[in-house]
Amino acid sequence: MTIDGQTVEIENERNVLELIRKAGIVLPTFCYHSELSIHGGCRMCIVEDDRGSLIPSCSEEPRNGMIIHTNTRRVRRYRRNILELLLANHSRDCTICFNSGNCRLQELARSFNISSIRFMNTAHSPHMDHSSKCISKDPNRCILCGDCVRICNEVQNVGAIDFAHRGSDMHISTPFGVPLAESVCVGCGQCAAVCPTGAIIVKNDINKVWRALDNQETFVTVQVAPAVRVALGQEFGLGDGENSIGYIVAALHRLGFDKVFDTSTSADLTVIEESREFVQRLQSWHDMPLFTSCCPAWINYVEKHYPEIMPHVSTCRSPMQMFASVLADEYRKVPGKRHVHVAIMPCTAKKFEAARDEFVTDGQPNVDFVLTTQELVQMIRQSGILWEDLEPEGVDNPFSVYTGAAVIFGVTGGVTEAVLRELADDHGPTALKKLAFVGVRGQDGLKETKITVGGKELSIAVVSGLGNASALIEDLKSGVRKYHFVEVMACPGGCVCGAGQPVVPLSHRAARGKGLYSADLLTSIKRSEDNPLMATLYDGLLKGRNHDLLHVHYPGHKGHHNHAA
Amino acid sequence: MNQIFDPIELDEIVKSQSTDPSAVISVLQTIQEKYRYIPREVFRPLSLKMGISEARIYSVVTFYENFSLDPKGHFVIKICDGTACHVRKSMPNLERLRKELDLPEGKVTKDDLSFSVETVSCLGACGLAPVLTVNDKVYPAMTPDKVSDLVAKLKEELANETH
């Protein structure tokens, strides 16, 4: 077919839009995402064919001999008109919008040089929804592209929101308009990541952290999750997936944090605890397969959608909470300044996890505040610290050592690989390296592998994306699949693609996983158990208390006693 | 007045229907036929049975004017206000009906769930204009006086039923 005079070969493109992109032309879109179903709602991608018909290219199948014009006077005029109509009912207070500068509507309005809107704003300004700990929903900024609806339904299989009512009354809503916090929303934040405007945004807790840092009476510690280091740098001109942990630590020190730690350290604890729990469950064969428990959106998903699965979920706290328990024990039991703990996470659901009753000790949450990677970017910018002038620094004692097994926790398959390193019969470097090739790495939504440990063949599955998790649970129930161990991360691709990370196209996110594997190569110790700090902790602070401090019984676990020592 | 919600009965309705997600409209219609509205309680079982989210069901229910989330009266009176009925004076019928039933404009259903009154755009019976229906029984060529007689008759019927 012909696009703007160029002949383009039709291969397997699902629509004319993809072909146009192949021809080197990027049409503006709001509602089109290659990983989601085709909606055809925003109409921005209209093109003209040789008969003068205007067609939305996303909803048109490519046919032999088609002649398409993407940039005629008529198309430009219509596209501009459509954009103006989209802007008509949009709250245009860009300067106070969290997504300002990161908004496709703003970007297009600028590139179309729109300086006035001819149409009246007839929006009904329904109420904002601030009920969720993770995200806020502002219907005044919504352009009804439906991206959030489709990612929630199709990718995450959560189905918390959908279009409601019709015509000028249409808006995105939970059933009966209940607040998000009371809906089946799990807080994964993927809707916010995909929203082209600022209609769904991640909750911002920066000011609370500034207050804690300003307060002379507080001792503020911070932990940084593995996935943060391979995404934050993108905002400061580093390449996709480049590891910036040294700069992050330096920036956090400059911001005034008293001690900076790396969540990788406590991920080593998680590997050890989870491996032990797995071996014990394997021996006594109760509640198998074992599901991982690091991902808070996954925990929410189990509680709200598959409560019957909860006994299968490991009782291990997430690495963030394991660290928080240890730090609370270290710093809150001694007289002195009030200890405040902050966690920098790639994740929106961690904000919910931090507030859970299970993780509150003596009225104070073990993690006082969770900031996303994007919020840390904002803090650095607010402070005026020049990224280029930072000198990389290391994390602080006494919790400074971590292994390669822990660093890869942030990518799908990483937790599994870390546990396999722990359980492997052969601890030699070659054998450990080989584990990279057993099928746990890569961006696929479902990865399966079999590995022999202690003469027993184990079936393992790694899923990312809650839709994939739900399909797997259904298969387990019907007996189609059988596993011993299942790793689940709610966000497709794992934590590196979390909704708290800077938003970049899907194709750029794969590099983040690679960045973590490179970070693993840089570490000297590959197995969590070989981390010398672990021995110190188990003989000291954790002695006889590892169960109390490192495990958790969610309400769904009740009635099932735990076998992990 | 048959408004007490019976979960077992609902379960039977849901079970008797197709589980194909594309059948959701006809399932909802069956439910509405039974209860004269879509009770909130059906959302969860329906969602589990059909494999679609409650949000999607809510989306369908709120999209179509014909579905109601509010309980309807024992008698649902639909006054046609399509072009044909309108020019043949359907509005005086509506006014009389509201007056007889003491239903102010904007209120659809009596608090005691005895009557609901709504207007519809066309019942497809223009030859019988002006027309109204009571629980799908058609009353043709209505006048305000005929409306008064009808309401009296329905009220009597209602009184007999409750005794």
Side-chain angles (χ1 to χ4, degrees), chain A residues 164 173-179, chain B residues 38-41 43 54-55 58 61-62 69:
Chain A
S173 172
T174 56
F176 299 92
V178 298
Chain B
I38 311 287
R40 194 166 174 162
E41 292 85 344
F43 277 69
E54 291 181 55
Y58 184 73
V61 170
T62 55
L69 287 165

Side-chain angles (χ1 to χ4, degrees), chain A residues 126-424:
Chain A
H127 296 297
M128 316 243 301
D129 187 345
H130 293 300
S131 64
S132 159
K133 293 246 184 295
C134 315
I135 52 173
S136 295
K137 189 158 102 21
D138 179 359
N140 299 304
R141 296 196 165 108
C142 178
I143 55 166
L144 298 173
C145 66
D147 290 348
C148 53
V149 171
R150 276 170 291 128
I151 203 150
C152 190
N153 269 298
E154 295 170 11
V155 177
Q156 298 300 66
N157 199 29
V158 170
I161 47 174
D162 213 314
F163 293 100
H165 302 276
R166 75 173 158 178
S168 59
D169 294 327
M170 186 179 266
H171 59 275
I172 305 294
S173 172
T174 56
F176 299 92
V178 298
L180 273 172
E182 292 162 31
S183 75
V184 294
C185 170
V186 300
C188 72
Q190 287 296 317
C191 51
V194 84
C195 179
T197 69
I200 302 182
I201 57 167
V202 177
K203 276 273 170 72
N204 194 302
D205 294 302
I206 288 179
N207 286 338
K208 295 174 194 161
V209 175
W210 280 130
R211 269 202 292 278
L213 288 172
D214 291 342
N215 189 342
Q216 296 303 309
E217 303 303 310
T218 56
F219 177 74
V220 189
T221 60
V222 59
Q223 57 171 309
V224 187
V228 176
R229 71 202 62 197
V230 289
L232 183 127
Q234 281 169 318
E235 291 284 319
F236 295 101
L238 296 187
D240 289 340
E242 215 171 304
N243 183 355
S244 59
I245 186 66
Y247 295 94
I248 295 172
V249 174
L252 289 168
H253 280 141
R254 292 273 291 274
L255 289 172
F257 288 96
D258 295 297
K259 290 253 186 198
V260 181
F261 301 116
D262 191 324
T263 312
S264 307
T265 301
S266 55
D268 277 327
L269 284 173
T270 312
V271 176
I272 293 171
E273 289 297 319
E274 197 149 344
S275 302
R276 285 182 190 169
E277 183 180 359
F278 179 49
V279 168
Q280 268 159 7
R281 286 206 194 199
L282 209 53
Q283 280 162 359
S284 60
W285 202 260
H286 77 97
D287 297 319
M288 291 294 280
L290 176 70
F291 284 88
T292 57
S293 58
C294 308
C295 172
W298 159 239
I299 297 294
N300 290 348
Y301 191 65
V302 172
E303 289 189 319
K304 289 183 171 178
H305 297 256
Y306 288 101
E308 67 278 12
I309 294 289
M310 192 51 106
H312 292 261
V313 175
S314 162
T315 56
C316 285
R317 297 184 181 199
S318 66
M320 176 180 96
Q321 290 297 351
M322 284 197 177
F323 217 150
S325 299
V326 169
L327 294 177
D329 205 73
E330 177 82 9
Y331 297 118
R332 291 185 188 173
K333 297 237 160 119
V334 288
K337 289 180 173 178
R338 183 182 139 88
H339 173 240
V340 171
H341 186 52
V342 179
I344 315 286
M345 294 283 142
C347 177
T348 53
K350 285 283 176 198
K351 287 179 186 271
F352 175 83
E353 187 190 81
R356 286 189 74 120
D357 289 342
E358 290 89 349
F359 305 121
V360 174
T361 317
D362 303 326
Q364 188 186 356
N366 295 350
V367 178
D368 295 272
F369 310 111
V370 170
L371 297 183
T372 61
T373 310
Q374 289 196 52
E375 286 170 271
L376 178 57
V377 169
Q378 253 190 352
M379 276 188 89
I380 295 172
R381 294 216 167 111
Q382 281 180 22
S383 72
I385 293 171
L386 276 181
W387 181 264
E388 304 79 61
D389 289 0
L390 287 172
E391 299 270 9
E393 289 174 17
V395 290
D396 294 307
N397 267 329
F399 307 108
S400 58
V401 189
Y402 56 84
T403 71
V407 171
I408 57 175
F409 251 59
V411 57
T412 170
V415 176
T416 305
E417 193 174 334
V419 169
L420 289 178
R421 286 184 194 180
E422 198 64 20
L423 300 178

Side-chain angles (χ1 to χ4, degrees), chain A residues 460-512:
Chain A
I460 289 167
V462 174
V463 283
S464 68
L466 290 171
N468 294 324
S470 121
L472 180 130
I473 293 170
E474 294 300 336
D475 282 352
L476 282 172
K477 281 182 173 174
S478 61
V480 179
R481 295 173 196 274
K482 280 193 171 61
Y483 301 110
H484 297 96
F485 183 90
V486 182
E487 173 199 301
V488 184
M489 293 188 187
C491 294
C495 313
V496 286
C497 302
Q501 302 273 62
V503 179
V504 294
L506 208 61
S507 50
H508 294 244
R509 286 181 222 163
R512 295 178 180 168

